[in-house]
C-alpha cells in the first residue's frame, strides 16, 4: 500500500513540470518548502513534545543567510542552502539551551516572543536585511547553471525535500528519535531510563531549526525577493496548523498536512470574502472531530469500513 | 536632554503608561482567569475584545440605542457568546483529545472566525469610534496631562480586579473556579459541575474584555485588527505571573509604563518590540513572573 | 491494473507532447482578433482590502465603459481578477497565475507598495507590462525598468516632499515635526521630505512609529519638545487620528497637516478625533482633482453607483481610494489605442512611455517619460475644520530627484 503511494507520488513529481505551467510548478515549489518546514516542526513538537512557536524566525534566518550568501558572495546554491540551515540551527541551539527550564505554555510564549522579536530585527536591520524594502535574491547559481524560472529550480527543490524527508525518517528510527519520544511522554521517566533529557531537548530545537533554515534555502532557489512581513507569527501558525491538521506525531501526517493545507489555502484565495471565516472554521472543526489529524481520521474511516 | 524635559517625560510617560496599562491589565485579567481554570491560553482574547467593541459600535452608532441599554446588552452578548463557544466547541475538543495544543488551536480558529465576521459587516474598513462613555476633558496630574476618560479607565481596572479578587476568595462560585483550576478531578468528586464553571469563567472573561472595549475603543480607535493589543496583555500576564490575578494588573501597569519610557528615552521604533523583549527576559530570568507561585512541575 | 514502468513512461511521453502544445505561442499572449485579456490583481480580502477592492472595481467599470463604446480597435477587454491579499508571496502567486495560466496580455494591478515590489524581477524577466493600480510602488519605479509603470495615486517621494513644500512655503514653517511609519512607504516619503527640507532650508524632527501603535504619547511628546512650527503626519488613518487627538489633548495649537496616506474618510476622522475642536488648525493633502465629492469628479462616483448598485448601498462604499483606479485604466486604454490594430507588448510599452494627459480625476496630469515611470507627483491641500473644506491655492510637488 505504501509502495503504491510512493510510486504515485514519484510519478506526479516527475510529470508535473512537463504537463503544467510555471505557476503550478511555483505552487509545488512552495508546497515542498512548506513540507520541509512541517517536518522541522514535527521533530520539535510532534516527536519531542516541545511547544516551539519560533519556526518562522528560523525560516527567515535561513532565507536571509542563504540569500545573502548567494547574492553578495556568489556561493553555489548547495552551499547557500547549507549556510541557511546552519545559521538557523546555530540560533536554534542557543534558544534550546535558554529554554531548558521552561515548560509547555511558558516555552510557547517565550518562543512566540522570540519569533516576533526576530521579525522586528529583520524589519529594522537595514544594513543586512534591507529592512522594510525587502531583500533582492539573485538567481541561484551552481558553477555554470543558473536557476531562473520555477521549472529550473524545481528538480533541486524536490531533491532537497526528499533529502530532508529521508533525514527525518533516519532520525525517527535512530536512538535520537527514541530519546525524543521518551522526553515527550515523560521527562522524569526518560531521565530514569538514562536519556540525557537536557541535551535531547537542545538537540531537538537545533535540528528543527536546521530544517527551517534549509526550507529557507529552498525558498531562495525559486524566489527573487523576501520581505519580513511574510516571516511572522502568521507563518508559524500556518505551519503548526498544517502539522496538526495532518496529524501530530507522524511523518506522513506532517507531509500530508502540508499538501492538504497548501491546496486549501490556494483554493480559499478564490473566495476572498469568506477566507478568514472558512480558515477559522476549518481549524475549529478539525479540532472538534479529527484531533489526530486528517489522515488518522481517514484511516480510521477506511479501517472501520473494511471491517464492517 | 535637559532636566526639566526629562522630568516632564517621566511624569507623562508614567501617567499615560498607567492608563494604557489599565487596559492591558483588564485584558490580562481575562486571559489569566481562563488560564487558571483550564490551562488554556486563549489566543482569541483580542478578537473577543474587538468583537465586543464592534457590538457596542453597532448598537450605539448604527442603531442609536441609548447608552443605558447598549452597555448591558453588549456585556450580555459577550458573556453568552463566550460561554457558548466553551460549551459547544471546547468541550468537544477536550473530549476528542486532551492535548492542550488542540484547545489552543481551536481558540486560534475562533479568532479568525470573529475577525472574518466583523470584516463581512463592512464596518472594519475605516477606523471607527463611538462616543466615549466618560467625558474627555483634560485633567492635570503634576505636569502630566490626561483626560477624565483615562482616569475612569484606570479606576475601572482597579474595581474589576477588586471584584474578581472578592469573587475568587469569598464566594462559593469563586472557590469552585479555583478548585477546578487546581485539580479538576477532585473538584468533580466534590460535586462541582465542571461544565458550568468553565462556561461561567469564559463568560466572565469575555465580560471583562467587553468592559475594556467599551472604555478603550474611543481612545485607540477601532479596526478589525485592534485585537492585536492582546500581545501586550500576554506580556502583562507573563510579567505578573501567568496564574496570578493581582499580578496581571501590576504586569499591565509595568508593560504600559515600560512601553512609554522605551518610546521616550530609546526610540519610537522600539516601542513595538518592547513587550517581546519583556516576555523573553521575564521567562528566562524569573519564569513565574513577579507574583506567580513556583512553576508547577507536573508529576507523571 | 498494475502500474508498470512502461505505463509510466508512456504516460510521461504523452504528457510531454500535450505540454508542448499551443502554449508556446508565437503571437502575443492574451490577444485574439476580438479580445484583449488584462490580468488584474488587488487586495480583495483581509486587513488591507480597503486599499484595493474598490480601486479594482473602478478600473473594471472603466473597461466596461470602453467595451460598451465598441472596445479598442474592435477588441473587447476581458478582465481576470486575482486576490493578492496585499502581501508579497500571494502577489507573486497571483502574477504568476495571470501570466502563465491565464496568459494575459498586460498586467494591471498592485495596491500595496511593499508587495508589488516583489513582482519586479519576474515581470521584467518575462517581459510582461505591469501597470500598477494605486500603489506608490516606488521601489519598482526607481530605477526605471521598461515594463513597470505606477504611482497613479502618488509617488511616496512626492508625498513627503510636497508636505514640506506646503508647510514651508504657505505656512512659513522653519522647524517641522514629521511622523511617519517604519515601513517601506515611510522610508520613501521621508527621503522625499528630506530632499525638500534641504532645498527649503528647513529643520526636521522625525519620529517613526509602527502602524499598530496604540499609545502615541511618547512620539508626540518628543516632537513637541522640538518646538516645531507645524506637525506633519504621514501615517495611515488610525495612527494619524491618534496623533491629532493627542495633540488636542495636550493643547497643541500649531498647524497640523495630514498627508494623503491617512485621509481616507473625513467625517469619520472628525468623529475619531473627538469633534471639530481638534481640527481648528488642520490641513490635509489630497491627490484628487477636487474636494472629495466635488463637481469635477462626481462622474466617477456616479459611474460607480451605476455599475455597482448593491455595493454602493453598503456602508463604507465606495471606499476612499476608489477613484484612483480610473487614471490607471485610462492609461492602459490610451496606450492600447495608440498601439494600433496590431498591438504587441513592446508597442504598448512604447506608447505608455509617451503618455501625458489629464485624467480629470487627479490633481496633476499622468506624465511618463523615457525614464519616468511614476505617473503622479502633484498634490493639493485643503483646510478642514470639521464641516467646511477650503481648497488652498497651489499645486505642490517635490524637489526629490532619483540619483541613478
Amino acid at each position: 500500500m505504501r509502495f503504491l503511494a510512493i510510486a504515485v507520488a514519484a510519478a506526479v513529481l516527475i510529470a508535473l513540470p512537463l504537463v503544467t505551467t510555471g505557476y503550478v510548478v511555483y505552487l509545488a515549489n512552495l508546497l515542498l518548502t512548506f513540507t520541509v518546514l512541517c517536518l522541522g516542526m514535527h521533530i520539535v513538537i510532534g516527536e519531542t513534545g516541545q511547544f516551539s512557536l519560533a519556526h518562522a524566525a528560523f525560516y527567515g534566518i535561513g532565507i536571509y543567510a542563504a540569500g545573502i550568501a548567494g547574492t553578495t558572495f556568489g556561493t553555489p546554491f548547495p552551499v547557500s542552502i547549507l549556510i541557511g540551515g546552519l545559521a538557523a540551527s546555530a540560533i536554534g541551539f542557543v534558544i534550546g539551551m535558554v529554554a531548558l527550564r521552561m515548560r509547555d505554555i511558558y516555552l510557547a510564549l517565550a518562543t512566540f516572543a522570540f519569533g516576533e522579536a526576530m521579525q522586528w530585527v529583520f524589519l529594522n536591520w537595514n544594513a543586512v536585511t534591507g529592512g522594510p524594502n525587502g531583500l533582492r535574491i539573485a538567481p541561484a547559481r551552481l558553477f555554470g547553471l543558473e536557476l531562473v524560472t520555477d521549472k529550473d529550480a524545481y528538480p533541486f527543490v524536490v531533491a532537497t525535500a526528499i533529502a530532508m524527508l529521508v533525514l527525518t525518517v533516519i532520525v525517527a528510527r535512530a536512538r535520537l528519535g527514541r530519546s525524543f519520544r521518551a522526553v515527550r511522554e515523560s521527562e522524569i521517566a526518560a531521565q530514569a531510563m538514562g536519556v540525557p533529557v537536557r541535551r535531547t531537548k537542545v538537540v531537538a530545537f537545533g535540528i528543527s531549526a536546521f530544517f527551517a533554515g534549509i526550507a529557507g534555502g529552498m525558498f531562495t532557489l525559486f524566489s527573487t525577493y523576501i520581505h519580513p512581513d511574510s516571516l511572522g507569527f502568521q507563518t508559524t501558525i500556518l505551519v503548526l496548523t498544517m502539522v496538526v491538521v495532518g496529524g501530530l506525531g507522524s511523518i506522513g501526517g506532517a507531509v500530508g498536512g502540508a499538501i492538504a493545507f497548501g491546496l486549501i489555502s490556494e483554493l480559499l484565495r478564490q473566495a476572498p470574502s469568506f477566507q478568514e471565516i472558512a480558515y477559522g472554521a476549518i481549524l475549529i472543526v478539525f479540532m472538534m472531530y479529527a484531533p489526530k489529524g486528517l489522515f488518522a481520521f481517514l484511516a480510521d474511516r477506511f479501517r472501520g469500513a473494511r471491517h464492517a | 536632554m535637559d532636566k526639566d524635559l526629562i522630568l516632564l517625560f517621566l511624569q507623562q510617560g508614567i501617567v499615560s503608561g498607567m492608563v494604557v496599562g489599565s487596559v492591558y491589565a483588564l485584558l490580562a485579567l481575562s486571559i489569566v482567569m481562563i488560564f487558571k481554570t483550564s490551562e488554556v491560553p486563549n489566543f482569541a482574547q483580542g478578537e473577543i475584545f474587538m468583537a465586543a467593541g464592534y457590538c457596542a459600535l453597532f448598537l450605539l452608532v448604527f442603531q442609536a440605542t441609548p447608552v443605558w441599554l447598549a452597555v448591558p446588552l453588549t456585556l450580555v452578548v459577550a458573556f453568552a457568546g463566550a460561554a457558548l463557544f466553551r460549551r459547544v466547541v471546547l468541550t468537544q475538543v477536550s473530549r476528542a483529545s486532551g492535548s492542550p495544543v488542540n484547545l489552543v488551536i481551536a481558540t486560534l480558529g475562533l479568532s479568525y472566525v470573529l475577525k472574518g465576521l466583523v470584516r463581512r459587516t463592512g464596518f472594519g474598513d475605516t477606523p471607527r469610534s463611538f462616543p466615549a462613555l466618560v467625558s474627555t476633558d483634560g485633567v492635570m496630574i503634576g505636569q502630566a496631562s490626561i483626560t477624565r476618560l483615562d482616569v475612569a479607565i484606570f479606576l475601572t481596572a482597579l474595581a474589576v480586579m477588586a471584584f474578581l479578587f472578592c469573587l475568587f476568595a469569598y464566594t462559593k462560585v469563586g472557590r469552585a473556579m479555583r478548585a477546578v483550576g487546581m485539580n479538576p478531578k477532585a473538584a468533580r468528586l466534590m460535586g462541582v459541575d465542571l461544565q458550568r464553571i468553565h462556561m461561567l469563567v469564559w463568560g466572565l472573561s469575555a465580560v471583562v474584555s467587553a468592559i475594556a472595549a467599551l472604555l478603550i475603543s474611543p481612545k485607540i480607535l477601532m479596526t478589525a485588527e485592534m485585537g492585536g493589543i492582546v500581545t501586550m496583555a500576554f506580556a502583562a500576564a507573563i510579567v505578573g505571573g501567568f496564574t496570578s490575578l493581582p499580578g496581571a494588573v501590576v504586569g499591565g501597569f509595568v508593560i504600559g509604563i515600560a512601553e512609554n519610557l522605551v518610546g521616550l528615552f530609546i526610540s519610537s521604533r522600539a516601542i513595538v518590540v518592547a513587550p517581546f523583549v519583556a516576555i523573553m527576559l521575564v521567562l528566562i530570568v524569573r519564569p513565574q513572573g513577579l507574583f506567580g507561585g513556583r512553576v508547577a512541575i507536573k508529576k507523571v | 491494473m498494475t502500474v508498470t514502468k512502461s505505463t509510466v513512461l508512456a504516460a510521461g511521453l504523452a504528457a510531454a507532447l500535450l505540454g508542448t502544445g499551443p502554449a508556446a505561442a508565437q503571437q502575443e499572449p492574451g490577444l485574439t482578433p476580438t479580445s484583449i485579456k488584462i490580468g488584474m490583481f488587488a487586495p480583495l480580502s483581509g486587513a488591507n482590502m480597503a486599499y484595493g477592492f474598490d480601486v479594482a472595481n473602478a478600473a473594471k467599470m472603466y473597461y466596461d465603459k470602453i467595451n460598451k463604446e465598441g472596445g479598442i480597435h474592435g477588441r473587447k477587454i476581458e478582465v481576470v481578477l486575482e486576490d493578492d491579499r496585499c502581501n508579497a508571496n500571494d502577489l507573486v502567486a497571483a502574477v504568476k497565475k495571470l501570466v502563465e495560466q491565464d496568459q494575459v496580455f498586460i498586467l494591471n494591478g498592485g495596491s500595496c507598495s511593499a508587495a508589488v515590489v516583489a513582482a519586479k524581477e519576474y515581470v521584467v524577466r518575462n517581459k510582461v507590462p505591469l501597470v500598477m493600480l494605486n500603489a506608490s510602488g516606488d521601489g519598482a519605479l526607481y530605477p526605471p525598468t521598461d515594463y513597470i509603470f505606477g504611482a497613479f495615486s502618488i509617488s511616496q517621494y512626492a508625498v513627503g516632499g510636497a508636505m514640506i513644500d506646503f508647510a514651508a512655503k504657505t505656512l512659513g514653517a522653519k522647524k517641522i515635526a514629521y511622523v511617519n511609519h517604519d515601513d517601506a512607504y515611510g522610508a520613501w516619503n521621508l527621503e522625499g521630505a528630506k530632499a525638500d527640507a534641504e532645498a527649503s532650508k528647513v529643520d526636521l524632527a522625525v519620529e517613526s512609529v509602527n502602524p499598530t501603535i496604540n499609545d502615541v504619547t511618547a512620539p508626540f511628546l518628543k516632537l513637541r519638545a522640538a518646538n516645531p512650527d507645524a506637525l506633519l503626519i504621514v501615517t495611515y488613518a488610525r495612527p494619524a487620528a491618534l496623533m491629532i487627538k493627542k495633540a488636542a489633548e495636550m493643547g497643541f495649537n500649531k498647524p497640523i497637516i495630514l498627508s494623503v496616506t491617512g485621509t481616507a474618510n473625513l467625517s469619520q476622522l472628525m468623529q475619531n478625533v473627538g469633534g471639530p475642536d481638534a481640527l481648528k488648525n488642520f490641513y490635509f493633502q489630497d491627490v484628487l482633482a477636487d474636494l472629495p465629492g466635488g463637481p469635477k469628479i462626481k462622474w466617477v462616483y456616479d459611474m460607480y453607483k451605476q455599475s455597482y448598485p448593491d455595493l454602493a448601498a453598503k456602508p463604507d462604499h465606495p471606499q476612499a481610494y476608489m477613484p484612483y483606479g480610473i487614471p490607471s485604466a485610462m492609461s492602459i486604454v490610451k496606450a492600447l489605442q495608440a498601439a494600433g490594430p496590431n498591438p504587441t507588448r513592446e508597442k504598448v510599452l512604447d506608447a505608455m512611455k509617451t503618455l501625458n494627459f489629464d485624467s480629470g480625476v487627479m490633481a496633476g496630469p499622468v506624465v511618463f517619460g523615457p525614464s519616468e515611470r511614476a505617473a503622479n507627483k502633484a498634490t493639493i491641500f485643503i483646510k478642514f475644520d470639521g464641516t467646511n473644506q477650503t481648497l488652498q491655492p497651489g499645486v505642490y510637488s517635490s524637489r526629490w530627484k532619483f540619483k541613478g
Side-chain angles (χ1 to χ4, degrees):
Chain A
M1 184 66 205
R2 193 172 280 184
F3 219 50
L4 184 59
I6 294 184
V8 168
V12 169
L13 282 176
I14 295 173
L16 199 72
L18 304 170
V19 300
T20 60
T21 62
Y23 165 66
V24 178
V25 175
Y26 168 70
L27 290 181
N29 283 338
L30 217 51
L31 221 66
L32 289 164
T33 307
F34 268 87
T35 305
V36 173
L37 280 172
C38 285
L39 289 173
M41 192 163 263
H42 161 77
I43 287 181
V44 74
I45 297 189
E47 293 264 340
T48 324
Q50 302 300 299
F51 207 160
S52 162
L53 291 180
H55 222 50
F58 297 125
Y59 180 49
I61 293 174
I63 296 179
Y64 283 112
I68 293 173
T71 310
T72 319
F73 299 104
T75 55
F77 63 76
V79 176
S80 310
I81 297 181
L82 214 56
I83 290 179
L86 292 173
S89 73
I91 312 273
F93 273 108
V94 171
I95 298 298
M97 286 198 288
V98 166
L100 274 179
R101 294 196 289 156
M102 301 184 205
R103 215 157 249 110
D104 302 332
I105 173 65
Y106 298 102
L107 179 63
L109 290 168
T111 50
F112 160 71
F114 169 71
E116 296 289 273
M118 207 59 222
Q119 190 186 27
W120 183 86
V121 169
F122 294 148
L123 203 54
N124 283 278
W125 199 4
N126 291 24
V128 169
T129 64
N133 279 314
L135 185 74
R136 282 258 121 67
I137 302 173
R141 207 167 287 136
L142 178 63
F143 307 116
L145 178 66
E146 208 185 30
L147 303 180
V148 174
T149 68
D150 282 289
K151 290 193 182 182
D152 291 344
Y154 179 73
F156 302 100
V157 174
V158 172
T160 316
I162 292 179
M164 299 312 283
L165 182 58
V166 167
L167 186 59
T168 313
V169 174
I170 291 177
V171 166
R173 298 222 174 129
R175 186 197 238 168
L176 188 58
R178 287 198 291 276
S179 305
F180 286 158
R181 290 186 290 276
V183 167
R184 178 187 71 202
E185 292 308 314
S186 157
E187 282 186 35
I188 296 183
Q191 190 111 41
M193 297 283 288
V195 172
V197 172
R198 295 167 81 97
R199 199 174 63 194
T200 307
K201 286 179 14 176
V202 173
V203 169
F205 263 92
I207 294 187
S208 153
F210 179 73
F211 272 67
I214 295 286
M218 287 165 73
F219 182 81
T220 64
L221 288 179
F222 59 89
S223 303
T224 56
Y225 180 82
I226 181 65
H227 190 273
D229 280 350
S230 332
L231 300 171
F233 190 55
Q234 288 268 42
T235 304
T236 301
I237 286 301
L238 185 60
V239 178
L240 179 64
T241 23
M242 285 177 175
V243 173
V244 174
V245 162
L248 204 59
S250 89
I251 297 178
V255 174
I259 297 175
F261 225 83
L263 292 174
I264 293 177
S265 207
E266 194 55 25
L267 279 170
L268 282 181
R269 206 154 59 80
Q270 303 303 319
S273 42
F274 287 100
Q275 260 179 127
E276 267 174 324
I277 302 179
Y279 186 68
I282 290 175
L283 288 181
I284 291 178
V285 167
F286 262 89
M287 292 301 101
M288 283 171 79
Y289 299 113
K292 289 217 177 59
L294 180 64
F295 296 93
F297 181 76
L298 290 175
D300 282 343
R301 293 288 125 154
F302 282 135
R303 214 174 293 136
R306 235 187 291 149
H307 286 195
Chain B
M1 220 189 277
D2 68 357
K3 236 185 254 161
D4 287 331
L5 200 58
I6 295 183
L7 203 60
L8 169 68
F9 276 13
L10 272 176
Q11 288 184 59
Q12 188 71 55
I14 291 176
V15 171
S16 291
M18 298 279 280
V19 172
V20 76
S22 312
V23 178
Y24 302 155
L26 284 172
L27 287 172
L29 282 170
S30 312
I31 295 172
V32 170
M33 238 191 294
I34 292 185
F35 187 73
K36 263 171 89 87
T37 49
S38 59
E39 298 249 312
V40 174
N42 180 9
F43 274 66
Q45 200 70 50
E47 275 62 46
I48 293 177
F49 162 79
M50 183 265 297
Y54 272 93
C55 180
L57 172 77
F58 175 69
L59 291 172
L60 286 169
V61 174
F62 290 95
Q63 299 289 103
T65 323
V67 172
W68 57 264
L69 181 57
V71 169
L73 204 53
T74 304
L75 298 181
V76 165
V77 167
F79 185 94
L84 201 67
F85 178 73
R86 167 73 227 186
R87 175 77 182 83
V88 171
V89 175
L90 290 187
T91 315
Q92 173 58 35
V93 176
S94 271
R95 203 180 300 148
S97 144
S99 165
V101 181
N102 291 29
L103 289 165
V104 171
I105 293 187
T107 64
L108 217 53
L110 177 65
S111 80
Y112 282 109
V113 169
L114 285 175
K115 235 194 277 191
L117 284 173
V118 167
R119 266 199 253 279
R120 286 284 301 163
T121 62
F123 296 137
D125 285 347
T126 187
R128 290 188 182 275
S129 74
F130 46 78
L133 294 182
V134 176
S135 97
T136 48
D137 293 337
V139 166
M140 293 298 286
I141 298 190
Q143 282 181 298
S145 157
I146 54 173
T147 67
R148 282 177 196 254
L149 175 63
D150 291 338
V151 177
I153 295 174
F154 177 72
L155 293 175
T156 307
L158 292 181
V160 169
M161 191 208 91
F163 168 77
L164 287 177
F165 175 70
C166 292
L167 179 78
F168 275 85
Y170 300 125
T171 68
K172 194 158 160 229
V173 157
R175 280 201 291 273
M177 289 177 181
R178 274 162 53 205
V180 168
M182 285 191 273
N183 192 335
K185 290 205 183 89
R188 190 167 357 115
L189 289 172
M190 297 292 288
V192 171
D193 182 345
L194 288 185
Q195 274 287 32
R196 206 171 77 97
I197 293 296
H198 281 306
M199 282 171 69
L200 269 175
V201 170
W202 270 76
L204 193 57
S205 158
V207 165
V208 173
S209 297
I211 294 175
L214 284 166
L215 286 171
I216 197 81
S217 298
K219 192 171 156 65
I220 62 172
L221 299 177
M222 305 167 58
T223 62
E225 302 298 315
M226 73 193 273
I229 199 175
V230 82
T231 322
M232 297 297 205
F234 269 97
I238 291 171
V239 164
F242 219 70
T243 49
S244 155
L245 289 171
V249 176
V250 172
F253 293 138
V254 167
I255 293 287
I257 293 175
E259 184 190 358
N260 268 330
L261 294 182
V262 164
L264 284 168
F265 295 107
I266 301 180
S267 150
S268 295
R269 281 172 172 263
I271 295 177
V272 73
V273 79
F276 304 123
V277 175
I279 292 178
M280 285 193 287
L281 280 176
V282 171
L283 286 178
I284 293 173
V285 172
R286 192 186 155 92
Q288 66 268 39
L290 293 170
F291 292 90
R294 291 203 45 152
V295 176
I297 299 181
K298 280 211 183 66
K299 294 231 178 299
V300 186
Chain C
M1 156 184 148
T2 44
V3 181
T4 63
K5 225 190 265 184
S6 44
T7 348
V8 174
L9 225 56
L13 267 172
L17 287 170
L18 283 169
T20 56
Q26 315 89 318
Q27 58 177 37
E28 297 286 315
L31 267 186
T32 73
T34 51
S35 71
I36 303 175
K37 217 190 269 192
I38 298 186
M40 293 188 64
F41 56 94
L44 304 178
S45 67
N48 297 307
M49 195 179 119
Y51 291 120
F53 180 72
D54 268 342
V55 181
N57 282 338
K60 274 199 299 174
M61 78 185 182
Y62 189 77
Y63 294 138
D64 283 337
K65 167 170 126 71
I66 296 296
N67 281 347
K68 282 201 193 87
E69 292 168 3
I72 305 176
H73 297 299
R75 290 190 178 87
K76 296 279 169 77
I77 296 176
E78 199 188 303
V79 168
V80 183
L81 177 60
E82 288 287 325
D83 181 5
D84 67 20
R85 290 181 189 155
C86 202
N87 72 68
N89 282 343
D90 286 306
L91 191 140
V92 169
V95 165
K96 287 185 178 178
K97 177 169 183 291
L98 289 167
V99 171
E100 305 191 29
Q101 201 88 347
D102 298 300
Q103 300 271 315
V104 301
F105 180 63
I106 189 174
L107 288 167
N108 181 209
S111 305
C112 302
S113 292
V116 82
V117 171
K120 176 174 163 178
E121 256 85 16
Y122 177 81
V123 160
V124 169
R125 196 180 298 150
N126 287 278
K127 300 195 170 46
V128 184
L130 167 57
V131 177
M132 297 184 197
L133 273 174
N134 55 326
S136 295
D138 291 289
L141 304 176
Y142 300 100
T145 66
D146 280 329
Y147 300 94
I148 306 179
F149 297 80
F152 287 94
S153 54
I154 180 102
S155 154
Q156 280 301 304
Y157 293 110
V159 166
M163 290 281 282
I164 302 288
D165 204 22
F166 177 72
K169 283 206 191 112
T170 308
L171 301 178
K174 288 258 164 277
K175 186 101 196 265
I176 295 181
Y178 190 93
V179 57
N180 69 344
H181 282 312
D182 54 8
D183 59 8
Y185 233 49
W188 298 330
N189 64 49
L190 182 59
E191 199 180 311
K194 283 189 181 155
D196 257 82
E198 219 179 278
S200 305
K201 309 241 187 307
V202 161
D203 281 326
L204 282 187
V206 181
E207 288 294 319
S208 303
V209 300
N210 193 282
T212 59
I213 196 171
N214 281 314
D215 190 354
V216 295
T217 310
F220 178 76
L221 270 193
K222 286 197 281 187
L223 286 174
R224 188 179 68 169
N227 226 343
D229 300 318
L231 171 61
L232 269 50
I233 303 179
V234 195
T235 66
Y236 306 131
R238 195 187 64 99
L242 290 180
M243 287 295 289
I244 299 172
K245 249 164 85 89
K246 185 63 71 171
E249 268 172 38
M250 302 247 166
F252 185 80
N253 53 12
K254 302 278 171 50
I256 298 178
I257 312 173
L258 175 59
S259 77
V260 66
T261 52
T263 39
N265 185 326
L266 281 178
S267 56
Q268 190 64 47
L269 173 70
M270 185 176 76
Q271 274 180 48
N272 288 346
V273 301
D277 286 338
L279 301 174
K280 284 207 201 99
N281 204 349
F282 175 73
Y283 301 81
F284 69 90
Q285 181 190 46
D286 207 345
V287 295
L288 292 173
D290 203 343
L291 303 177
K296 276 198 221 162
I297 54 176
K298 186 168 177 302
W299 64 271
V300 180
Y301 294 91
D302 287 340
M303 200 197 281
Y304 181 89
K305 279 199 201 90
Q306 248 196 349
S307 308
Y308 308 106
D310 296 326
L311 273 182
K314 286 169 72 168
D316 265 354
H317 285 274
Q319 291 166 340
Y321 300 115
M322 185 273 292
Y324 296 5
I326 301 288
S328 172
M330 268 190 192
S331 303
I332 291 186
V333 167
K334 282 195 194 293
L336 283 171
Q337 278 164 343
N342 293 311
T344 63
R345 281 174 171 170
E346 299 302 316
K347 281 193 205 166
V348 172
L349 288 168
D350 286 335
M352 287 288 302
K353 286 175 195 154
T354 63
L355 284 181
N356 186 333
F357 69 94
D358 183 356
S359 61
V361 178
M362 309 306 281
V366 169
V367 181
F368 293 122
S371 50
E372 184 56 77
R373 301 286 178 268
N376 184 28
K377 290 182 261 339
T379 69
I380 56 173
F381 286 85
I382 299 166
K383 189 174 195 306
F384 180 54
D385 64 5
T387 21
N388 300 312
Q389 298 179 28
T390 324
L391 183 57
Q392 302 295 297
V395 172
Y396 297 84
S397 188
S398 165
R399 268 165 282 194
W400 179 86
K401 286 267 172 293
F402 175 67
K403 297 178 191 84

